[in-house]
């Protein structure tokens, strides 16, 4: 199974990617920098250079994958004046990207707060 992972070289992603590869999956990790790309290659993943702002890159990578795991965090959005409201239980900053990837790729999608039902705001 090919899995596209945003935040693949981050704190959580650097633990998830080797687990996916160890389970026999092909991993394509989104990397913002060459140093992140090098870390992903060293872990055995393929690299897709880009950012969360590169919607065409995200759409194409998600469409090519069998599944998507969104672990990236957009720091400038999280700490902007617009988003100073307390975070919601449904992971509100992640929902727009989750909806975008799901709609454009038609693929399975796992947001970082997947333990909470983001679709209904359930408990």
């Amino acid at each position: 199974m090919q899995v596209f992972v945003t935040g693949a070289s981050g704190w959580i992603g650097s633990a998830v990617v080797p687990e996916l590869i160890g389970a026999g999956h092909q991993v394509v990790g989104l990397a913002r920098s060459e140093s992140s790309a090098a870390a992903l290659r060293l872990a055995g993943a393929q690299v897709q250079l880009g950012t969360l702002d590169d919607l065409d890159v995200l759409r194409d990578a998600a469409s090519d994958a069998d599944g998507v795991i969104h672990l990236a965090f957009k720091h400038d959005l999280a700490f902007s004046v617009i988003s100073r409201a307390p975070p919601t239980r449904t992971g509100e900053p992640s929902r727009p990207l989750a909806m975008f990837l799901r709609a454009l790729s038609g693929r399975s999608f796992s947001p970082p707060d997947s333990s909470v039902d983001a679709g209904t705001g359930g408990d």
Side-chain angles (χ1 to χ4, degrees):
M1 179 177 190
Q2 181 175 320
V3 182
F4 174 53
V5 181
T6 67
S9 64
W11 181 256
I12 297 170
S14 62
V16 170
V17 168
E19 291 291 325
L20 289 168
I21 292 170
H25 300 291
Q26 177 186 12
V27 175
V28 178
L30 182 67
R32 291 181 297 162
S33 68
E34 277 303 324
S35 61
S36 293
L40 289 172
R41 288 185 193 102
L42 188 61
Q46 295 178 25
V47 173
Q48 174 60 64
L49 289 172
T51 71
L52 293 180
D53 294 319
D54 299 327
L55 300 183
D56 290 335
V57 168
L58 294 174
R59 182 192 61 237
D60 293 346
S63 294
D64 291 343
D66 299 307
V68 175
I69 301 175
H70 173 48
L71 301 174
F73 183 75
K74 193 162 170 53
H75 296 274
D76 58 334
L77 176 64
F79 299 111
S80 71
V81 174
I82 295 170
S83 65
R84 295 214 188 255
T88 65
R89 291 189 64 215
T90 58
E92 213 45 55
S94 298
R95 275 185 86 195
L97 181 61
M99 292 167 54
F100 170 79
L101 289 170
R102 188 177 300 120
L104 289 180
S105 70
R107 305 287 187 197
S108 302
F109 182 78
S110 177
D113 59 343
S114 60
S115 62
V116 176
D117 184 352
T120 63
D123 295 312

